[in-house]
């Protein structure tokens, strides 16, 4: 089942769509879970499992901030960044979901950098 879900991509629920829309506003940007929770209005207990599923599907990659926690004066954050293929797949999944719900496709965020859609650096 996990392999099939990875090929098909994660299930697009309302909270998942909200996270994807936020990340697609800056597809090359880095995001941390608490900020996505605040901006989406969903609790962190909803956002972090979504990020884990997106990472398992290779739609996002994660890494720890490199700065020292003492310099930051706070714990380091786990950052999440869309992959090129993930951004493309997310746009397609949101488009499909919007068409199924009868929402205009023009509401889908467009890429900031066209090369991201092609999966190029």
């Amino acid at each position: 089942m996990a392999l099939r879900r990875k090929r098909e991509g994660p299930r697009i629920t309302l909270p998942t769509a909200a996270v994807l829309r936020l990340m697609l506003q800056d597809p090359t940007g880095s995001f941390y879970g608490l900020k996505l929770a605040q901006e989406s209005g969903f609790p962190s207990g909803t956002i972090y499992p979504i990020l884990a599923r997106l990472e398992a599907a290779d739609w996002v990659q994660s890494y720890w901030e490199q700065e020292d926690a003492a310099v930051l004066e706070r714990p380091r954050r786990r950052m999440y960044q869309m992959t090129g293929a993930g951004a493309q797949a997310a746009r397609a999944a949101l488009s499909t979901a919007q068409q199924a719900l009868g929402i205009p496709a023009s509401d889908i965020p467009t890429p900031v950098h066209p090369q991201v859609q092609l999966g190029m650096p």
Side-chain angles (χ1 to χ4, degrees):
M1 180 66 166
L3 180 59
R4 190 171 116 214
R5 179 59 62 193
K6 186 173 181 175
R7 279 195 314 257
E8 294 173 1
R11 190 167 42 105
I12 306 300
T13 62
L14 180 61
T16 302
V19 169
L20 292 172
R21 288 182 62 84
L22 286 169
M23 294 182 84
L24 284 170
Q25 289 176 3
D26 182 7
T28 60
S30 294
F31 303 86
Y32 59 99
L34 186 57
K35 183 70 169 173
L36 288 169
Q38 292 167 343
E39 290 185 14
S40 70
F42 290 99
S44 60
T46 298
I47 299 301
Y48 285 104
I50 289 169
L51 291 170
R53 286 192 296 273
L54 294 174
E55 188 169 21
D58 292 329
W59 287 21
V60 301
Q61 56 190 6
S62 67
Y63 61 92
W64 287 101
E65 282 182 310
Q66 296 300 310
E67 294 84 2
D68 184 21
V71 172
L72 294 170
E73 297 181 355
R74 61 169 170 73
R76 291 184 313 149
R77 293 179 175 141
R78 185 133 189 100
M79 305 301 289
Y80 297 87
Q81 187 174 36
M82 295 201 90
T83 63
Q88 185 175 2
R91 279 187 209 92
L94 288 176
S95 177
T96 298
Q98 286 180 325
Q99 288 173 1
L101 295 172
I103 300 170
S106 60
D107 291 343
I108 300 171
T110 55
V112 175
H113 304 288
Q115 62 269 32
V116 173
Q117 186 175 10
L118 300 173
M120 297 179 191

